[in-house]
Amino acid sequence: GGVQGGLDSAARQYSATETAKRPVQGFLVDGFHRNGPTTETLCWQTIQTTFTETTGLLPKDKPRFYFGVARPDLVFHLIAAGIDVFDTSYPNLVTERESALVFNNTFKQGVVPEE
């Protein structure tokens, strides 16, 4: 089920509460951005309070989805706020600009990551 309401906390609470009552398989937390250039520059601090209030009203036993352009830093915030599945077009946007995503990773020799 889709959870909408922009940055209006009351509208979000109503949407989340009513959608959670429905026999849906998961939740699309949507409407925090408008498609277009502003989507790419969405700032976590702008949506944090409303976003966490919204996800806090959704059952934890069903997946939560977020669609839209999400930079890597935003993805980490969204995961911490309870989002399970992403459909982000950010990597595509980067390649259309003839760029690449590069992360500064340092691996310690002989250290095996935990499973």
Side-chain angles (χ1 to χ4, degrees):
V3 179
Q4 297 285 335
L7 293 176
D8 182 332
S9 290
R12 284 255 171 219
Q13 289 175 8
Y14 178 78
S15 180
T17 303
E18 290 301 313
T19 305
K21 294 176 185 176
R22 308 278 188 281
V24 297
Q25 299 301 309
F27 303 95
L28 172 59
V29 183
D30 197 20
F32 280 95
H33 61 78
R34 294 187 176 138
N35 291 330
T38 58
T39 305
E40 184 181 354
T41 59
L42 184 63
C43 177
W44 172 246
Q45 288 72 21
T46 303
I47 66 169
Q48 179 178 8
T49 300
T50 307
F51 200 96
T52 54
E53 286 173 356
T54 301
T55 55
L57 296 170
L58 300 174
K60 294 183 180 4
D61 63 338
K62 294 183 179 179
R64 301 163 185 185
F65 301 85
Y66 178 88
F67 293 167
V69 175
R71 295 176 322 278
D73 61 309
L74 181 57
V75 169
F76 289 120
H77 288 297
L78 296 173
I79 290 168
I83 295 297
D84 301 300
V85 180
F86 298 86
D87 177 22
T88 179
S89 54
Y90 186 76
N92 185 59
L93 180 65
V94 170
T95 59
E96 285 179 348
R97 295 180 179 161
E98 298 182 4
S99 298
L101 292 172
V102 179
F103 300 95
N104 185 14
N105 294 315
T106 303
F107 296 100
K108 295 180 181 178
Q109 198 163 14
V111 177
V112 178
E114 293 182 27
E115 292 186 36

